[in-house]
Structures are given as C-alpha cells and as structure tokens.
C-alpha cells in the first residue's frame, strides 16, 4: 500500500468512525511493505497538499511570533525602515508568508502563501500533528488550521518553543496554547480583579508624579499590566506549592512593585522621597529605587513570602545573587524538590539582551549544584533602553533570544492585553513547577515617559512619542473592554478610583508625622553595629582544635573506602596525608584546608563534654572552576574510582551522622555569575562557610561589579553582611601577565579603613560620634541622661549590649546622672577602637603558613560578625617543601596571627639561630605572602645575620597595633617594605600610609621612621611574559633586600 492509499484509507476510516484502527493498520502496512509501489497522481496530490498544511502548522509554531500582535503601538516585528525612531517597520522578511496570510485573512489567497493546490473546502488528515486533535478532531480544513493557530501564535500572546529540547515538554506547551481563543479564560470576578490591580498601579504612578514632579521614579507607565501579571504569577505559584520567592529587579516599576505588590507603606516611600539629604548624620544607604524589602502575599489559606533583593545600578548584576539566595533557601529548608522556593527575575529589554551576565546566569540553570529548579524571567520589554531603539541594542529579533540557548520557552504578550499577560505568567509558573527549567515572559509594552521622568523622550524618538501621546492607557483599554462586555460598571470603576485616591492622600498626610525613630536610625547606621546590635548568633571562639579531633578528621580524609581503586598519584597523596597526621609535621596547604573544613563540619562531641555552644558545626560550600581537584593538582576533595568512575568525598565521611555537609562544586566558566551566586548563598545563613575560588586570581576582574557593588559595599548600603571567602591564586611564578596577580591592590583600595588615623580617631569617626550624641540627646540638653543612653542600648539585647555595659563601667561612664559630651566621645572612641575589625568592610590576607590558613578559615565561622574575606592564595607554595606547619600549630590555644616575626611561635621556619639579637638588627624587611620564602632563603644562603623579616599575614584591616609592637622590638632597624609586585600594584600603596601612621602614633621613639620600598618597577602590566626576565627581576629584589 502506498501513502496515498493510506491517507485514502484514513478518510474512509473517519467516515466509518473507526479511524484509530485504520490509522494503526495503515501505518503498519506502510512500514511492512515500504513506500515504493507505483503511486497514483491523486495520491501524490493528497500527500503534497497534506504536507503543505502540516508545514503551515509548523510555520505558525516556529515563526508565528514574528507576526503576532505584540506591540501595543501596533507595529510588527521586522527591520526598521529608517532612522533611530522605530515607528515604522517593514513587513517581517522571516515570516512573509504568514504576514500575507494574516493580512488578508479570512479571504485566503492560498497560492500567495505557498498553499497552491490546497482544496479550501477539504478536510485534511493532520493526526497527531496538531495536539488539540488528540481530544477533538483529526481532520482539518486550511481555514480551521489558520483560525486556530493564528489565535494561538499570532494574537496578543504567543510562545516560542521550537527550541525546547524535550519533546514531552514541547508537547505540553502545544497542548496548553493550541486551543480556541474566542472566550476569556477568566471568570468575571477575576477580570474585575485584574482591572482593580491595573487601576491601583496606574493611580499610584499618577499620585507620585503629582506629588514629586521633580523626582525620578522610573515609573511603570506603559507597562501597567506587569502588576496584575505578577499577582497572577505569585498566586499560581502559591497554588502549586511555592512558599517563598526570591525576587530581583531593576529600577523600572520598582516603587510600584514595592508598594502595590509587597505592601511597602506609601508613608515610607513618601518619606524617602522627601527626606533625601535631610538627615546628614545618616550614612545614607542607597537610593530608594535600589532598596530591597520583604512582603507576604496571602491567597486563601496559602501564602508566599517575597524577598526583593536590594541591587546596585549595574543592570542584571543582581541576577546571580537572587539565584544564590534561592538555592541557599532550598538547601537550608531541605526543599529537595525545589518546588517551595523559587527565583523570579524581572529584566529590562535592553539589559537582558545586552548584558552577558544574564546569559551567564542562565547557563547555571541546569547545573546540579547551581540549579534552582527553574527561574521565571519577566522582561519588561518597553522597546527602548534609555534613548536607544531595539534595532541598535541587539542583533536578535526579540530581547529574549538569549534564553533560547538553555531551552527556555518564551511567552510573549502584549502589555495592552492584561488577560494575556496574566495567562502567560500563569503558564510560566506551571511550566516551572512541572519541568523545573527556566522560562521567560516577554511583556511587550512601551515607556510612556522618558527614561526617567525628567527626560524628554521626544528629543530622540519623536515619532514614537507622538504615537504614545495619543495612545490610551492599559487601564483605559481594559476598562472599556469590560464595560463593553458588561463585566463592570462605570460606577464601580469611579468608586474604586476615588477610594484609591483617598487612601493615597491619607497615607501621604500621615507620612509627614512619621519621623524616623532612633531605632530606625540605628538600624541604618554604623552605630547599631558598633553598639552591638549585630544579629549574629555566633560567638567569639578560639580557632585552635583539640589534637584528637584534628587526627580524627585527618585520618578520615586520608582513607579511601575499602576496595576503592585509586589513581596511583592520588593514592600516594593520601598516603602522604596519612603520614602527616601520624607524624604531626609537614602539614601542607591542602591538608590544612581540609582540616579546617573537616573540623568546621563536625557536630559537638558529648563524649568530650562539648556542647553545641562550644562547638557549633557549619556546612561548607566550595565553588569555582575545577575546584574539586584544585587547579594546581593540590586539593583532590573528590576521589574517583579508576574502574567505575565512582565519586567519593572524604570530607563527607569524617563522622557519618554527626557532621554537616561539605559541598564542593566545579562551576561553569563564568566568574561573575558564580561569584554572585555564592555571595547570594552566603546571605541566607551565616552558619555556613561559603567559598568561591578563582582559577587564577587574575580572572576575578570579570566579576568586578559583584565585588564592588555587593561584596564590599552591601553591608553599608543595605545592611546585608556576608562572610563569603574568596580564594584568589596569586603570586609571581613567571607565568606571564594573566597568571600572576589576584589584583591585591584592587581589594585593598576597596577597604574602608582610614590610612591616616588609628581606628576610632579619624574625622569620620569623630563626625559619627558627634552625630550619635545629637541623635541620642533628643531634646538638645547638651548632655545625656541615663535614660537617653539606655534608649541607645536598649534595642540591642544580648551579649554585645552586655559588652557595651561592661565598657561603660570600665570607663566609668553612665554612673553619673549626666553624661557629658567628652565622656561620650571617649566612650565611643574606645568602643570603636575595640570594634575596629568589626567596622571594616573587608578582610584581605596574604598568608604564608598552612596553619595560619587553617585558622583564618576557622575564624571566619568563629566570630560574632560576618565580613568578606579575600585570601591571596598560593600556587607555588602549595607544593613548596618549607611551606608546611605542624599539627601543634593548629591545636587548642593556637590562633590566627595577623603578623609573624622571626622566632614567633607561629614562625614555621623558626630560623632564628643565626640571627643577631633583635636590638642589633639593622634592617627589618616587612613583606606579605610568598616572597617571604624567597627572602628567608636569600638571607640563609647569604648568611645574613642582621636583617630581620616580618610577615604581614593580614593586610587589611591593617594591624596597626601588632605591627607597631614588632617594629618596636627592632629599635635600630631601617624599615623596608618588600613585595614582588610592581610598585603601582600589590600592597605597597595601602601599606605605606598606614605603616607611617602606626610608626608615627605607636613607635614615636625610634630612630628610623622612614619606610623604603623594594619591588618591581611601576608597570602597565602585572608581570612579564618572559620567564628569564621574571627570574632576573626576582633576583634583583632579593639582592636589594640584602644589599648593604
Ligand atoms: C551595567 C549598566 N550599564 C549601563 C547602565 C545605565 N542604564 C541605566 S538604565 C539603562 C537602560 C536600560 O534599558 P532597559 O534594560 O530596556 O530598561 P528600561 O529602563 O527600558 O526599563 C541604562 C543603559 C546601567 N544601569 N547598568
Ligand atoms: Mg527598556
């Protein structure tokens, strides 16, 4: 039987209503016999006509979106005819056939659209090709196909899904959208609710526009449907089991989202508008359209918590942070299905298509250790970016096209059809909850005003804005529709409008009397922290660990499971580790790291009388490129069986059932996305050590906005402390410009400590102390009462408040009835000095001993505040024989050393024997990091006795006191800073003024106070590309360090 006969048979089958049987039989016969018999001309015609219709179906599915009515301003998608002003488009070249067809529909000129010969009245068999046919019909006229699919793919909503990889997922989308579109999907009460949301949104912007004409608010006008869309999205999420949503968005419509969706009181927003610059004593956190908030939305008996992340201006930078937070929530709440916690990102059209970070973040979406079970992306596609038209902003038809790379379906919808927007948002949730993959809603709209409200957009887009001026609002359009359909009355709309206006006015007036309270002030200022309002539940604990525990960890991580077929190199590595534990000496860098991780993971051990307070346990998450093995073949945190490729993670087998989890994840190749993700992860729970490792430190500059705008400044801007650790391999080994420097100088430049004053004595501190007094002395008496002081301390319960009380007693303040200004100043200066490290924004270390590395990692979890930690980690030292420590340097009683001098207990080389007494040293070399070993070796080989070396292990916060103490031990020594980096890089520019301050303030009686520099000459590039030149430069540094 040939294909024509099969089709004829199918037609007969339908006539006899036994089509299913005929279908199966016919195809069976077709396959059995093959299609090589002679065919009748009519059969061929039928086949070709059917195929043409099938192609038409495919055309709608794959290219219908090109001709869909997505633009509220009525333009079709296609190349611009001319100019920068996108008001005129030509017909789309990529869907000309569909364009012609729909333009003339329902009068079909079949020939003109490639359907020549198709019988318009005949029903053709499309079988399974149209999903809807499963439930309803198998035979279709061309007219029916067009009617159905133009509604599904060319109306005010459409979906791009051909790029979705999984066939069942693709089928699901077709099933959802290929349906008659004639009637609204929503019952009248639901439609009324959509209208009410639109009205509220619209009136909110009008209200702010009226009250704050001269302010920027980045209003949502032109995309008001976003709000009903988001309501629907969150509601559907609640219905499908979502309990919490992490939300990230940029400026556009943010105030509306904050108020309308997240219920941020209008009074607070109004106060923020009004108070810009009023309270000079406040270190203002950030502009109002960057601030985050939280809110809970209730839907019947279900509720969803929404947490809007604060973000910087850098568009898309918040994306990975939000996803890291989402993943952390899933981890800590044990949401294994990832269906209770979800990420939601709102993007601008220009940002989403233009900024690579959006694409980099999407590439995390299906990676086992980074997936959040699908993110919903909503693009506020107002078809403009600042003053730039889409034509000039991207090289793809839609702004959403980058999402196709990860197989995310893309629902496009016209913002003037709020029901379509709502429907797309609901479908996006259903997709996410069903398939656990990313999905995009491209909300096509326009921007009614300029980029901000002070901008006149007609300057650059005259024709578009002429059109927009005459274009009715979404509220007007939708009101009219519901009025026409008798779903609402004008009276009700008027009543709603007046209620909303009254509400806004009332809250506006009330905002005037809403003065910031002392508590609010504390909550947004340094002083809350300084006085101990830290919300941390951690305590200051020693970082040394008892020997028995160290050995337990060490042995566990040196032991493969029985029968495990190790790679010979790994086998010898484990053997060496075992020996380190047995001998207690020769502990190398990687082992020290593993011991730090392993000991942090362990629960309290009651057999040793430990309580949870004494021994908190912490999960550890290490993420970065190739970090499982380690770029330098040092870590081997995952063992692979050489015959089965089975994975085994020793650190998860230290004490089964009594330890937290160690997560180690090789990441994709994006620095910005992964670092942002880990930063986000670190924000969710302070009781977890989160580490990001760069392949080489150099590559961190790809993530600069995450560092500048979040890690080092987030706490000050948004009160979001982080204890994130960055491991940045750094050091001059002759590997060229891009494998030498972790850009130490950049991190040091970001540190907020004052180079010219000891902590607590700088002008900023003085100003803050002054402002604090004024705020506490509410009625301007000129002194504080005990009650005033109590009001400052009262809100801060717990150990830190106790510390404040103790200090007050020590300084004899707060005992008298009146606390005078000078008492307050002294108290605060002392307090700030004692809390110096806590007031810093970043800790930067360049460590030289494995034991100190062990301690600094453990310290991160054992102090009552979280600060980001940048570790310039070694490469060459990982396998350098002298760079080892003893187990004894990690046991109880030992701790992190900010400074290590010759002969100190923490000096792992302990080579003091040949040196002259300290008082006779003629030079003190001060250095940091790897160069110490070169200097030490140079001194020994030259048999120099009168030059001492001190290592600055913690560079920032600068250990003024410790270093001064060491310097004072060498009264006659000339002070020389030695570094391997060029003079305009490395730590020099940071160290120089601080060391000068330390010497001036704390070592004033010494003979030499000047500081000399030895290092590479200033340079544009970090390092030479020639190994020989590198060696010459290194030799020159060492020679000058020991020259006469
Ligand atoms: C990384 C970055 N580059 C440039 C800017 C400056 N900028 C602010 S808004 C904007 C236009 C954004 O357009 P779009 O993403 O479409 O959002 P819209 O304002 O249209 O809602 C630009 C270029 C920025 N904030 N961030
Ligand atoms: Mg835009």
């Amino acid at each position: 039987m040939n294909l024509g006969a099969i089709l004829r048979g199918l037609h007969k089958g339908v006539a006899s209503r036994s089509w299913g049987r005929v279908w199966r039989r016919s195809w069976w016969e077709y396959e059995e016999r093959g299609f090589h018999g002679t065919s009748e001309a009519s059969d061929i015609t039928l086949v070709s006509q059917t195929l043409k219709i099938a192609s038409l179906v495919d055309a709608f599915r794959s290219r219908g979106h090109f001709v869909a009515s997505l633009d509220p301003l009525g333009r079709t998608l296609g190349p611009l005819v001319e100019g920068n002003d996108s008001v005129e488009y030509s017909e789309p070249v990529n869907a000309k056939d569909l364009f012609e067809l729909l333009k003339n529909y329902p009068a079909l000129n079949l020939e003109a659209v490639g359907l020549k010969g198709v019988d318009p009245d005949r029903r053709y068999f499309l079988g399974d090709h149209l999903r809807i046919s499963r439930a309803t019909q198998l035979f279709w006229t061309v007219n029916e196909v067009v009617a159905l699919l133009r509604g599904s793919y060319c109306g005010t909503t459409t979906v791009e899904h051909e790029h979705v990889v999984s066939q069942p997922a693709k089928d699901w989308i077709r099933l959802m959208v290929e349906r008659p579109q004639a009637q609204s999907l929503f019952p009248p009460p639901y439609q009324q609710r959509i209208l009410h949301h639109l009205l509220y949104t619209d009136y909110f912007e009008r209200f702010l526009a009226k009250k704050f004409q001269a302010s920027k608010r980045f209003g949502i006008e032109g995309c008001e449907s976003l709000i009903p869309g988001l309501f629907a999205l969150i509601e559907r999420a609640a219905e499908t089991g979502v309990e919490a949503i992490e939300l990230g968005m940029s400026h556009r419509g943010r105030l509306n989202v904050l108020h309308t969706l997240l219920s941020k009181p209008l009074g607070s927003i109004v106060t923020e508008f009004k108070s810009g610059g009023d309270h000079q004593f406040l270190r203002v956190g950030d502009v109002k359209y960057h601030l985050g908030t939280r809110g809970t939305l209730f839907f019947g008996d279900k509720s969803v918590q929404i947490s809007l992340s604060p973000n910087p201006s850098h568009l898309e930078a918040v994306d990975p942070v939000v996803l890291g937070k989402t993943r952390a929530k899933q981890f800590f709440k044990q949401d294994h299905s990832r269906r209770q916690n979800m990420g939601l990102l709102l993007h601008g059209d220009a940002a989403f298509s233009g900024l690579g970070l959006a694409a980099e973040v999407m590439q995390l979406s299906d990676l086992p250790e980074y997936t959040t079970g699908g993110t919903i992306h909503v693009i506020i596609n107002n078809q403009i970016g600042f003053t730039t038209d889409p034509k000039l902003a991207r090289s793809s038809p839609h702004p959403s096209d980058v999402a196709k790379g990860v197989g995310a379906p893309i629902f496009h919808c016209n913002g003037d059809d709020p029901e379509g927007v709502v429907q797309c948002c609901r479908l996006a949730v259903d997709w996410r909850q069903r398939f656990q993959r990313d999905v995009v809603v491209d909300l096509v709209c326009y921007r009614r005003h300029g980029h901000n409200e002070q901008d006149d957009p007609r300057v650059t887009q005259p024709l578009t804005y002429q059109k927009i001026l005459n274009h009715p609002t979404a509220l007007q359009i939708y009101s009219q529709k519901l009025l026409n359909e008798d779903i609402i009355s004008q009276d009700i709309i008027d009543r709603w409008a007046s209620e909303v206006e009254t509400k806004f006015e009332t809250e506006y007036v009330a905002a005037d009397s809403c003065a910031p309270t002392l508590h609010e002030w504390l909550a947004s200022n340094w002083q809350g922290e300084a006085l101990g309002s830290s919300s941390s539940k951690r305590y200051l604990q020693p970082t040394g660990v008892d020997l028995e525990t160290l050995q337990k960890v060490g042995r566990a991580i040196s032991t493969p499971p029985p029968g495990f077929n190790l790679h010979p190199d790994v086998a010898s590595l484990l053997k060496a580790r075992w020996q380190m534990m047995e001998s207690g000496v020769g502990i190398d860098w990687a082992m020290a790291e593993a011991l730090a991780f392993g000991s942090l993971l362990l629960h309290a051990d009651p057999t040793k009388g430990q309580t949870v307070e004494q021994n908190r346990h912490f999960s550890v998450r290490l993420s970065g490129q190739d970090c499982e093995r380690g770029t330098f073949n040092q870590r081997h945190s995952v063992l692979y069986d050489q015959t089965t490729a089975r994975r085994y993670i020793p650190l998860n087998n230290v004490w089964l059932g009594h330890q937290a989890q160690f997560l180690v994840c090789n990441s994709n190749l994006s620095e910005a996305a992964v670092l942002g993700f880990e930063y986000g992860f670190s924000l969710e729970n302070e009781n977890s050590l989160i580490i990001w490792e760069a392949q080489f430190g150099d590559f961190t500059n790809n993530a600069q906005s995450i560092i500048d705008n979040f890690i080092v400044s987030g706490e000050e801007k948004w009160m979001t402390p982080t204890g994130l650790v960055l491991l940045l391999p750094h050091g001059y080994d002759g590997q060229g410009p891009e494998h030498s420097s972790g850009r130490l100088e950049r991190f040091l430049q970001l540190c907020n400590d004052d180079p010219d004053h000891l902590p607590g004595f700088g002008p900023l501190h003085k100003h803050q102390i002054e402002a604090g007094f004024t705020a506490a002395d509410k009625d301007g008496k000129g002194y504080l009462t005990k009650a005033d002081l109590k009001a400052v301390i009262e809100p801060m319960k717990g150990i830190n408040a106790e510390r404040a009380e103790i200090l007050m007693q020590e300084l004899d303040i707060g005992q008298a009835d009146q606390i005078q200004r000078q008492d307050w100043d002294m108290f605060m200066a002392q307090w700030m000095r004692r809390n110096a490290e806590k007031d810093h924004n970043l800790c930067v270390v360049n460590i030289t001993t494995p034991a100190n590395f062990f301690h600094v990692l453990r310290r991160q979890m054992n102090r009552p505040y979280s600060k980001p930690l940048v570790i310039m980690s070694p490469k060459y030292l990982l396998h350098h024989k002298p760079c080892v420590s003893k187990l004894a340097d990690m046991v109880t009683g030992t701790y992190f050393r900010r400074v290590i001098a010759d002969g100190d207990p923490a000096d792992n080389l302990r080579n003091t024997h040949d040196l002259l007494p300290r008082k006779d040293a003629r030079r003190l070399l001060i250095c940091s990091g790897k160069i110490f070993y070169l200097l030490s070796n140079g001194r020994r080989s030259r048999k120099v006795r009168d030059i001492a070396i001190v290592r600055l292990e913690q560079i920032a916060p600068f250990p003024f006191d410790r270093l001064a103490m060491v310097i004072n031990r060498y009264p006659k020594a000339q002070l020389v800073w030695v570094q391997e980096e060029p003079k305009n890089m490395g730590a020099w520019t940071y160290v120089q003024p601080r060391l000068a301050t330390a010497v001036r303030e704390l070592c004033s009686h010494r003979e030499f106070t000047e500081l000399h520099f030895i290092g590479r000459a200033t340079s544009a590039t970090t390092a030479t590309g020639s190994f020989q030149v590198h060696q010459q430069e290194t030799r020159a540094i060492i020679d000058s360090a020991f020259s006469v």
Side-chain angles (χ1 to χ4, degrees):
M1 188 184 284
N2 60 31
L3 187 57
I6 294 170
L7 291 170
R8 278 203 305 282
L10 285 171
H11 281 82
K12 276 192 217 127
V14 163
S16 65
R17 293 187 166 271
S18 58
W19 53 266
R21 194 163 41 80
V22 175
W23 167 247
R24 280 193 294 276
R25 198 194 67 222
S26 306
W27 276 107
W28 176 79
E29 285 175 5
Y30 164 71
E31 282 185 2
E32 280 285 289
R33 298 178 189 191
F35 182 39
H36 40 246
T38 52
S39 45
E40 296 167 27
S42 61
D43 293 341
I44 292 176
T45 308
L46 182 58
V47 170
S48 116
Q49 290 171 351
T50 308
L51 286 176
K52 280 182 181 167
I53 301 200
S55 316
L56 181 67
V57 171
D58 292 341
F60 271 109
R61 286 174 177 161
S62 59
R63 292 180 289 120
H65 60 95
F66 287 127
V67 289
S69 310
L70 296 178
D71 181 9
L73 304 179
R75 301 162 298 186
T76 52
L77 204 61
L80 280 176
V81 173
E82 61 182 43
N84 183 41
D85 197 350
S86 59
V87 81
E88 290 302 331
Y89 286 84
S90 69
E91 62 198 39
V93 279
N94 39 11
K96 210 165 176 182
D97 50 349
L98 293 176
F99 186 75
E100 280 299 323
L101 190 150
L102 297 179
K103 202 164 69 180
N104 301 315
Y105 188 80
L108 285 181
N109 177 355
L110 296 178
E111 201 164 322
V113 293
L115 295 174
K116 185 175 175 193
V118 169
D119 179 351
D121 299 322
R122 181 166 192 168
R123 287 213 143 88
Y124 291 90
F125 177 75
L126 291 177
D128 214 16
H129 200 61
L130 261 182
R131 300 300 305 172
I132 196 169
S133 61
R134 277 207 166 154
T136 53
Q137 66 186 90
L138 291 171
F139 288 81
W140 295 75
T141 66
V142 64
N143 219 325
E144 286 168 340
V145 167
V146 174
L148 177 79
L149 296 185
R150 90 185 292 229
S152 305
Y153 294 108
C154 304
T156 47
T157 61
T158 185
V159 59
E160 281 184 88
H161 67 297
E162 292 289 286
H163 55 281
V164 171
V165 182
S166 140
Q167 190 59 43
K170 224 188 260 197
D171 289 346
W172 179 86
I173 290 176
R174 291 174 183 168
L175 212 52
M176 291 295 118
V177 301
E178 291 177 8
R179 54 174 185 76
Q181 310 272 325
Q183 283 179 346
S184 168
L185 282 169
F186 305 106
Y190 199 99
Q191 292 173 296
Q192 289 166 3
R193 198 184 79 175
I194 293 176
L195 182 64
H196 192 268
H197 284 150
L198 265 188
L199 182 139
Y200 196 98
T201 305
D202 184 298
Y203 274 65
F204 176 80
E205 296 293 352
R206 281 172 204 274
F207 178 79
L208 290 185
K210 188 171 72 185
K211 297 290 185 195
F212 303 104
Q213 286 170 14
S215 293
K216 295 179 190 176
R217 64 194 151 83
F218 299 103
I220 194 70
E221 295 102 317
C223 192
E224 289 88 345
S225 305
L226 174 73
I227 300 293
L230 290 179
F231 264 112
L233 189 154
I234 297 164
E235 180 180 47
R236 186 69 189 141
E239 286 164 6
T240 57
V242 172
E243 291 166 5
I245 292 179
E246 288 296 325
L247 170 62
M249 70 178 297
S250 63
H251 52 288
R252 183 71 54 212
R254 191 176 180 111
L255 297 178
N256 217 316
V257 168
L258 282 170
H259 174 68
T260 312
L261 199 73
L262 303 179
S263 306
K264 176 164 177 163
L266 183 64
S268 303
I269 293 173
V270 165
T271 309
E272 283 163 11
F273 265 105
K274 285 183 172 176
S275 67
D278 272 6
H279 304 287
Q280 286 305 326
F281 65 86
L282 288 180
R283 302 268 304 276
V284 175
D286 203 347
V287 293
K288 51 193 164 295
Y289 41 83
H290 286 167
L291 302 177
T293 198
R294 276 165 204 229
T296 306
L297 267 69
F298 295 92
F299 303 96
D301 59 345
K302 300 215 157 54
S303 66
V304 183
Q305 276 188 2
I306 318 270
S307 162
L308 172 65
S309 287
N311 59 274
S313 280
H314 292 56
L315 296 166
E316 304 297 332
V318 79
D319 299 1
V321 178
V322 168
L323 299 194
K325 286 177 76 180
T326 311
R327 173 81 187 205
K329 276 221 164 89
Q330 292 170 347
F331 177 75
F332 291 111
K333 291 187 176 172
Q334 306 197 342
D335 174 11
H336 302 300
S337 75
R338 313 201 185 286
R339 289 196 167 82
Q340 282 121 47
N341 295 275
M342 180 178 102
L344 170 61
L345 293 174
L346 311 190
H347 313 267
D349 52 326
F352 191 65
S353 55
L355 284 158
L357 191 52
E360 291 182 31
V361 167
M362 291 200 101
Q363 283 299 339
L364 296 178
S365 61
D366 204 30
L367 307 183
E369 297 300 343
Y370 302 87
T371 180
T372 54
T375 301
I376 300 185
H377 303 265
V378 178
I379 304 176
I380 301 174
N381 180 1
N382 54 16
Q383 308 184 78
I384 195 161
F386 216 135
T387 64
T388 302
D389 281 334
K391 170 82 179 156
L392 305 174
R394 60 175 188 262
S395 298
S396 63
H398 299 287
S400 49
D401 289 292
V402 286
K404 285 181 167 179
V406 296
I410 296 153
F411 293 95
H412 301 279
C413 44
N414 181 323
D416 273 0
D417 171 16
E419 288 184 25
V421 175
V422 163
Q423 174 60 359
C424 287
C425 287
R426 289 174 64 88
L427 279 175
V429 175
D430 287 347
W431 162 274
R432 189 269 173 193
Q433 290 294 74
R434 198 179 182 94
F435 297 106
Q436 302 273 278
R437 308 287 299 247
D438 280 22
V439 55
V440 179
V441 176
D442 173 32
L443 204 175
V444 188
C445 51
Y446 58 94
R447 191 188 69 197
R448 187 163 285 276
H449 307 297
H451 175 63
N452 63 57
E453 291 67 25
Q454 309 309 314
D455 245 12
D456 186 346
R458 290 170 305 181
V459 173
T460 48
Q461 270 81 12
L463 304 182
T464 304
Y465 276 85
Q466 214 172 322
K467 211 163 194 173
I468 289 175
L469 194 65
N470 300 318
H471 190 74
T473 63
L475 174 63
Q476 287 166 332
I477 294 170
Y478 194 57
S479 305
Q480 201 53 56
K481 174 180 150 64
L482 296 198
L483 286 169
N484 293 347
E485 293 170 9
D486 266 345
I487 287 167
I488 197 106
S489 69
Q490 188 60 49
D491 284 351
I492 296 181
I493 298 178
D494 292 343
R495 179 162 56 79
W496 283 352
S498 101
E499 280 169 4
V500 168
E501 279 180 326
T502 312
K503 174 179 184 290
F504 289 158
E505 280 299 341
T506 316
E507 289 178 27
Y508 179 78
V509 173
D512 277 347
S513 55
C514 149
T517 62
L518 182 62
H519 190 78
E520 265 183 57
W521 171 69
L522 287 169
S524 56
N525 198 342
W526 57 271
Q527 204 174 18
E529 260 298 299
L531 283 176
S533 73
S534 166
S535 58
S536 176
K537 292 178 192 70
R538 292 199 310 249
Y539 305 113
L540 193 59
Q541 304 244 52
T543 52
V545 177
D546 65 277
L547 185 63
E548 205 187 320
T549 302
L550 285 176
Q551 283 172 336
K552 178 179 184 158
V553 175
R555 288 187 185 126
I557 59 181
S558 315
T559 315
F564 203 83
N565 189 5
L566 285 173
H567 184 281
D569 292 353
V570 178
S572 35
L573 179 103
L574 292 197
K575 211 165 141 198
R577 287 187 177 173
W578 180 270
Q579 276 164 0
M580 290 175 203
M581 296 321 294
E582 291 301 297
S583 63
V585 294
I587 312 278
D588 67 10
W589 204 272
M591 187 61 173
E593 177 189 90
L595 288 171
F597 292 167
S599 57
L600 286 170
L601 296 170
L602 287 185
H603 288 201
D605 186 350
T607 60
K608 289 191 208 140
Q610 289 174 347
T611 63
V612 176
E613 279 67 37
Q614 288 165 331
N615 192 15
R616 308 284 302 273
H617 64 277
F618 307 96
S619 58
V620 176
R621 179 181 162 97
L622 168 64
S623 146
Q625 292 154 23
D626 306 293
C627 66
E628 282 185 4
R629 190 205 70 169
T631 298
F632 310 99
N633 205 16
Q634 82 281 18
R635 184 171 289 123
H636 295 279
S637 58
V638 182
L639 309 180
Y640 286 88
D641 186 297
Q642 296 298 297
T643 42
T644 62
R646 189 183 135 214
R647 284 160 57 91
Y648 177 81
I649 301 181
L651 275 167
N652 278 329
N653 292 277
V654 176
W655 194 17
L656 285 178
H658 295 88
Q659 67 164 100
Q661 198 181 356
F662 171 64
L663 283 162
V664 57
C665 357
N666 282 352
S667 75
N668 78 349
L669 246 171
S670 165
E671 282 80 22
V674 180
L675 180 58
F677 188 95
E678 302 308 338
Y679 166 76
F681 202 108
S682 76
L683 296 179
E684 270 306 302
N685 191 321
E686 62 177 356
N687 290 321
S688 199
L689 178 63
I690 311 296
I691 304 172
W692 176 74
E693 182 174 65
Q695 184 114 65
F696 283 84
D698 315 61
F699 301 117
T700 30
N701 52 17
N702 275 352
Q704 202 62 51
S705 72
I706 302 294
I707 295 162
D708 291 348
N709 306 118
F710 291 93
I711 297 174
V712 304
S713 58
E715 185 176 0
E716 186 162 322
K717 288 191 291 188
W718 313 312
M719 299 289 279
T720 49
T722 171
L724 183 68
V725 178
L726 276 67
L727 294 182
L728 310 181
H730 171 84
Y732 281 57
D733 307 326
Q735 291 191 57
E738 274 76 51
H739 291 90
S740 298
S741 172
R743 292 296 193 169
L744 173 59
E745 63 281 358
R746 299 254 172 90
F747 289 95
L748 293 174
Q749 193 220 14
L750 295 170
C751 293
N752 66 355
D753 58 344
D754 187 334
D756 304 319
H757 298 91
L758 297 179
F761 293 95
L764 180 63
H765 289 121
K766 281 192 182 138
H767 175 67
Q768 290 174 335
I769 291 169
E770 206 176 291
F773 187 87
T774 317
D777 177 20
K778 287 186 291 294
D779 37 13
K781 304 178 291 295
Y783 61 88
L784 303 185
T785 62
K786 277 185 187 167
D788 293 333
L789 206 58
K790 246 180 118 190
V792 177
I793 295 171
E794 196 81 308
M796 296 153 277
K797 302 272 181 246
I799 189 155
N800 292 313
E802 277 167 30
R803 285 179 60 205
E805 300 267 12
I806 291 167
L807 184 62
M808 283 164 61
Q809 279 168 19
E810 267 180 36
L811 298 175
D812 202 21
I813 168 180
Q815 315 309 320
D817 286 340
Q818 294 183 1
I819 297 142
Q820 300 302 331
R821 179 62 198 275
Q822 67 267 31
D823 296 335
W824 164 267
D825 287 357
M826 181 184 62
F827 168 67
M828 287 309 299
Q830 288 296 339
W831 181 264
M832 289 177 129
R833 210 166 155 187
R834 290 185 188 206
N835 284 285
E837 294 234 342
K838 202 155 72 94
D839 286 340
H840 286 97
N841 63 333
L842 181 62
C843 182
V844 182
V845 299
N846 194 9
I847 295 169
T848 56
T849 79
N852 231 13
F853 182 43
F854 166 90
H855 285 297
V856 84
L857 288 174
R858 287 188 47 82
R859 185 181 75 162
Q860 203 60 1
M861 292 287 101
N862 283 294
R863 51 182 181 178
Y865 49 86
S866 298
K867 295 287 164 187
L869 169 65
V870 170
I871 301 181
M872 292 288 141
S873 55
K875 298 171 286 172
Y876 158 82
L877 293 188
L878 295 172
H879 306 289
H880 184 51
K881 282 268 174 310
C883 180
V884 288
S885 293
K886 292 180 182 161
L887 216 44
D889 297 330
M890 304 177 187
V891 297
T892 314
T894 58
Y895 51 88
F896 176 68
R897 307 289 179 148
R898 292 177 291 167
V899 174
I900 302 177
D902 288 325
D904 278 358
D907 174 8
N908 58 332
L909 299 190
R910 297 190 172 89
N911 49 6
T912 51
H913 46 284
D914 290 334
L915 299 179
L916 295 180
R918 288 167 178 162
K919 65 176 176 43
D920 298 327
R922 71 176 170 92
R923 184 176 291 171
L924 179 62
L925 302 178
I926 310 170
C927 65
S928 187
K930 184 202 109 193
I931 197 161
F932 162 74
Y933 288 94
L934 302 181
L935 291 172
S936 174
N937 193 35
R939 179 172 61 178
R940 195 180 315 112
S941 61
R942 287 168 174 78
K943 299 192 171 47
V944 173
R945 301 182 62 213
D946 55 359
I947 295 184
I949 308 175
V950 56
R951 307 174 227 179
L952 191 60
E953 298 282 293
Q954 173 175 304
I955 309 175
F958 194 73
F960 291 92
D961 50 351
R962 289 277 146 202
L963 200 53
M965 239 167 66
V966 170
I967 289 172
N968 281 335
R969 288 187 210 150
Y970 300 90
K972 292 195 206 132
Q974 177 198 38
L975 301 177
V976 180
W977 173 260
V978 191
Q979 66 176 36
E980 50 183 358
E981 299 87 352
K983 196 173 185 179
N984 55 329
M985 299 173 195
W988 170 241
T989 47
Y990 176 87
V991 167
Q992 187 187 25
R994 287 166 180 82
L995 199 54
T997 301
V999 172
R1000 186 182 70 239
E1001 302 287 337
L1002 304 169
C1003 318
S1004 49
H1005 303 302
R1006 39 178 305 114
E1007 192 178 334
F1008 298 107
T1009 52
E1010 201 188 335
L1011 182 63
H1012 302 270
F1013 172 84
I1014 295 177
R1016 285 181 166 79
T1018 53
S1019 164
T1021 162
T1022 49
T1024 170
S1026 151
F1027 188 67
Q1028 284 72 25
V1029 174
H1030 159 78
Q1031 283 184 312
Q1032 283 162 13
E1033 288 172 352
T1034 309
R1035 260 195 308 273
I1037 291 173
I1038 305 303
D1039 284 347
S1040 18
F1042 297 106
S1043 63
V1044 189

